[in-house]
Amino acid sequence: MSSKLAALNHWVSEVSQLTQPDQIHWCDGSIVERDALVELMLERGELLALNPETHPDCYLHRSHPGDVARVEHLTFVCTADQADAGPNNNWMAPDQARASMDGLFTGCMRGRTLYVIPYCMGPIHSPYARCGVEITDSPYVVANMRIMTRMGADALARIEREGRFVRGLHSIGELDPERRFIMHFPEELSILSYGSGYGGNALLGKKCHALRIASWQARNEGWLAEHMLIVGIQNPQGETHYVAAAFPSACGKTNLAMLIPPVTHAGWKVWTIGDDICWLHPGPDGRLWAINPESGFFGVAPGTGRNTNPNALDMLDRDAIFTNVAVTAENGPWWEGKSDETPHKDWQGRDFDPGRGPAAHPNSRFTVSMRQCPSFSAEADNPAGVPISALIFGGRRESLVPLVFEALDWNHGVLVGASMASETTAAATGAVGVVRRDSMAMKPFCGYNFADYFSHWLSFGDRLEHLPKIFHVNWFRKGPDGKFLWPGFGDNLRVLQWILERCAGRAGAVETPIGLLPRREDLDLRGLESLNGSLDALLAIDPAGWRNEWADVGNYLDSFGARVPDALRAEHARVSALVGHVAPA
Ligand code: OXD
Ligand code: MN
């Protein structure tokens, strides 16, 4: 073993002394290894094979019913100085955190196999990619990491070349919510996760590494690690422009990433680069370049149907892992919104009884390689990434926030991102449907103080010669009857079209106190004539509502104290004045 791997070997042996596994398996990422793991999980009942005729190589995992989502209240950022983690994170002193985690990990792998998973986040030869190693005792985690990351021999070879990697130690422990913690040590680039097998808590390459740890690395190194999808939008002239868009969990990022244009839009095409995470680097040409660090989708199943996301349905009929979905009498996967079939067994394996709620868990998931997506773009493997023309922020807001608006400049756009708010969803435990501020959709994922994060975002105003434009969208406005005002899904392309036309300097807009809005005639609404009255509401500005909104944003910024950058406060004062609210200086 080369000396560059000595640190890795040393760490693996330290962990095995602590956790006492029966055996150690170094994952090579091969199909043979995958098949053996699947076999093992089938034997142990941790996976159930779905119908091999209709869904070859598809498996169902039923998690512990108390382990179905991310646990934000049990997720910590452990920096030496609490102020570096900020009020946006739970904090514990690193020594104390390590000591209590050591207690939990002691002997926890007795009778189990310890798997060493070398992985690479991003195209394997990209200078922007970063490697990590996850140690876990869960074969389900290994099988998922194989889909979600570039895992195995190539990643190990890169680690051997570079000698550096993020360390993640995970054990499902006893799956006891009382003994469950997800701890991050950004100063050491390490993660300790105990007691949960749920994706966001256990697939450490995803939220823990690619967002919480990477956001810290990104700040130190001059780039951004964001909770954003990435798509290429090809127009009928054959030009493709790329945008990255941040939405909170379960707000339709996967659907937008795989959008199929409406029938009125012949010649348009959306290419999928990523659906959840985006690493943005200033490129040599002064533009912002994006890579998707992941290689698969860990998507929310409910609501994925022929009308909402046909591309997703088409990629899910082979080689996929389903977690907590229901099954049909033919042993196919099923969830609310998938088809008219009647589910046979619910997500817990019980005979389906509508009286007990939905058949699939609202946060049930699919894990599938991005290569299976019909709209997959080969640019997702481009080591240089793709150049970004526009950044989009969006939330789930029933009222107030219009369909789309453009920020006046970079600082205004950063304020718009920082003030994002959304109604909570089932992706995290806790109440669903409560409006909370979720800056850049990073509230659960930023590995450091939001005030410093806002400064870092503002700094790109000087770092980049060609800044992308920033927009805000809201697909979720409701009318007085409680129905959505905007059709959403494929029709969202019309909004993306306006955004790209604005970037090209071709579309009109009207300046309002909150930013630049399209007028009816600036949007391509062919085929949406039925929208009529709704469009007025979708594009209206309610000054009194915005006075309250900006006052609330002011309180929110205050909650981060003196570290909030002056430029952001100045921007807040400016926009507040425009709606007639006097923000405290
Ligand atoms: C996810 C999430 O799983 O944001 O992507 O919760
Ligand atoms: Mn996400």
Side-chain angles (χ1 to χ4, degrees), residues 3 42 72 133 159 161 272 424 469:
S3 61
L42 288 171
E72 293 177 12
V133 177
I159 291 170
R161 268 198 318 278
T272 310
T424 51
K469 277 180 178 287

Side-chain angles (χ1 to χ4, degrees), residues 532-547:
N532 278 330
S534 313
L535 200 70
D536 295 335
L538 281 164
L539 297 177
I541 306 290
D542 160 19
W546 279 97
R547 275 196 289 282

Side-chain angles (χ1 to χ4, degrees), residues 46-308:
E46 289 168 21
L47 281 188
L48 301 167
L50 293 170
N51 187 327
E53 308 276 301
T54 57
H55 289 80
D57 287 318
C58 287
Y59 301 95
L60 167 63
H61 173 73
R62 291 195 180 116
S63 79
H64 186 286
D67 183 33
V68 292
R70 286 183 291 97
V71 281
E72 293 177 12
H73 60 297
L74 303 174
T75 300
F76 288 74
V77 169
C78 308
T79 44
D81 180 352
Q82 178 168 5
D84 289 336
N88 45 307
N89 283 302
N90 299 315
W91 176 85
M92 199 182 284
D95 286 350
Q96 187 194 342
R98 248 186 311 268
S100 49
M101 293 305 272
D102 275 1
L104 293 173
F105 277 108
T106 301
C108 73
M109 295 193 192
R110 278 195 198 110
R112 301 181 186 174
T113 298
L114 177 159
Y115 298 93
V116 183
I117 312 172
Y119 63 86
C120 178
M121 300 311 290
I124 192 87
H125 297 300
S126 172
Y128 302 143
R130 293 283 184 279
C131 288
V133 177
E134 173 165 358
I135 294 180
T136 181
D137 54 8
S138 160
Y140 167 82
V141 165
V142 180
N144 277 273
M145 284 288 283
R146 181 170 182 276
I147 298 173
M148 295 305 297
T149 71
R150 280 107 172 151
M151 176 266 248
D154 290 350
L156 188 63
R158 181 165 169 161
I159 291 170
E160 182 164 8
R161 268 198 318 278
E162 295 182 336
R164 57 190 170 112
F165 60 96
V166 169
R167 291 163 196 225
L169 170 56
H170 168 255
S171 170
I172 54 170
E174 308 78 29
L175 293 175
D176 172 358
E178 300 296 317
R179 289 163 56 82
R180 178 174 296 161
F181 289 104
I182 328 294
M183 302 276 191
H184 302 76
F185 304 85
E187 283 142 339
E188 294 173 4
L189 307 183
S190 75
I191 305 151
L192 296 174
S193 168
Y194 190 91
S196 167
Y198 172 74
N201 305 324
L203 311 179
L204 300 187
K206 193 174 180 60
K207 303 300 187 182
C208 301
H209 176 164
L211 287 176
R212 297 196 190 94
I213 298 290
S215 60
W216 177 281
Q217 284 182 295
R219 196 237 331 223
N220 294 339
E221 298 170 8
W223 50 283
L224 291 161
E226 296 301 322
H227 192 202
M228 291 179 172
L229 65 93
I230 312 165
V231 285
I233 303 158
Q234 187 179 324
N235 65 20
Q237 293 74 48
E239 303 155 356
T240 302
H241 297 279
Y242 296 90
V243 303
F247 294 82
S249 309
C251 284
K253 283 205 296 300
T254 306
N255 292 344
L256 188 59
M258 295 170 197
L259 181 153
I260 294 193
V263 284
T264 43
H265 281 59
W268 288 85
K269 161 108 188 131
V270 170
W271 295 98
T272 310
I273 307 274
D275 80 326
D276 194 42
I277 302 183
C278 167
W279 287 357
L280 292 159
H281 284 79
D285 59 356
R287 288 190 291 173
L288 206 50
W289 290 73
I291 61 163
N292 171 13
E294 301 191 283
S295 64
F297 308 117
F298 179 66
V300 178
T304 308
R306 250 319 121 209
N307 298 333
T308 60

Side-chain angles (χ1 to χ4, degrees), residues 220-560:
N220 294 339
E221 298 170 8
W223 50 283
L224 291 161
E226 296 301 322
H227 192 202
M228 291 179 172
L229 65 93
I230 312 165
V231 285
I233 303 158
Q234 187 179 324
N235 65 20
Q237 293 74 48
E239 303 155 356
T240 302
H241 297 279
Y242 296 90
V243 303
F247 294 82
S249 309
C251 284
K253 283 205 296 300
T254 306
N255 292 344
L256 188 59
M258 295 170 197
L259 181 153
I260 294 193
V263 284
T264 43
H265 281 59
W268 288 85
K269 161 108 188 131
V270 170
W271 295 98
T272 310
I273 307 274
D275 80 326
D276 194 42
I277 302 183
C278 167
W279 287 357
L280 292 159
H281 284 79
D285 59 356
R287 288 190 291 173
L288 206 50
W289 290 73
I291 61 163
N292 171 13
E294 301 191 283
S295 64
F297 308 117
F298 179 66
V300 178
T304 308
R306 250 319 121 209
N307 298 333
T308 60
N309 193 342
N311 276 331
L313 273 198
D314 289 343
M315 71 184 177
L316 291 175
D317 54 8
R318 70 204 143 94
D319 218 338
I321 300 173
F322 296 91
T323 302
N324 292 339
V325 300
V327 288
T328 61
E330 287 73 44
N331 202 23
W334 192 90
W335 48 82
E336 278 66 22
K338 178 168 189 275
S339 67
D340 294 337
E341 286 162 290
T342 313
H344 175 53
K345 299 275 181 201
D346 74 6
W347 65 279
Q348 297 189 62
R350 305 172 301 195
D351 286 344
F352 174 57
D353 168 1
R356 281 198 285 239
H361 187 276
N363 193 35
S364 54
R365 298 277 177 152
F366 52 78
T367 321
V368 68
S369 164
M370 63 180 176
R371 276 155 233 288
Q372 286 182 207
C373 180
S375 55
F376 170 70
S377 164
E379 289 299 306
D381 282 323
N382 189 336
V386 293
I388 293 297
S389 302
L391 294 173
I392 302 172
F393 296 118
R396 188 183 277 272
R397 296 293 296 269
E398 266 185 34
S399 57
L400 186 70
V401 183
L403 177 64
V404 57
F405 63 93
E406 177 187 330
L408 292 180
D409 57 21
W410 184 258
N411 281 12
H412 182 212
V414 173
L415 177 70
V416 167
S419 26
M420 254 172 77
S422 195
E423 291 143 25
T424 51
T425 66
T429 50
V432 168
V434 179
V435 175
R436 73 165 183 182
R437 296 263 160 230
D438 189 351
S439 298
M440 281 80 172
M442 284 286 278
K443 163 75 186 73
F445 307 121
C446 183
Y448 62 101
N449 192 323
F450 255 165
D452 300 340
Y453 174 72
F454 302 149
S455 299
H456 186 50
W457 261 88
L458 289 172
S459 75
F460 285 81
D462 295 327
R463 276 178 219 263
L464 291 172
E465 205 179 319
H466 306 290
L467 286 161
K469 277 180 178 287
I470 298 182
F471 296 81
H472 189 284
V473 300
N474 177 23
W475 318 133
F476 300 94
R477 274 293 288 280
K478 287 189 178 163
D481 56 0
K483 296 211 177 100
F484 288 112
L485 291 176
W486 176 249
F489 306 108
D491 287 306
N492 292 339
L493 180 74
R494 301 167 191 273
V495 174
L496 298 178
Q497 182 184 357
W498 179 74
I499 287 176
L500 290 185
E501 292 288 301
R502 288 292 301 163
C503 294
R506 288 194 288 254
V510 58
E511 190 161 343
T512 78
I514 68 156
L516 298 156
L517 261 78
R519 296 156 301 181
R520 180 183 286 265
E521 61 269 31
D522 297 320
L523 292 169
D524 180 349
L525 296 171
R526 281 169 301 145
L528 270 195
E529 286 72 23
S530 59
L531 211 59
N532 278 330
S534 313
L535 200 70
D536 295 335
L538 281 164
L539 297 177
I541 306 290
D542 160 19
W546 279 97
R547 275 196 289 282
N548 289 339
E549 180 77 0
W550 287 128
D552 189 60
V553 169
N555 295 335
Y556 172 69
L557 294 180
D558 286 346
S559 70
F560 298 100

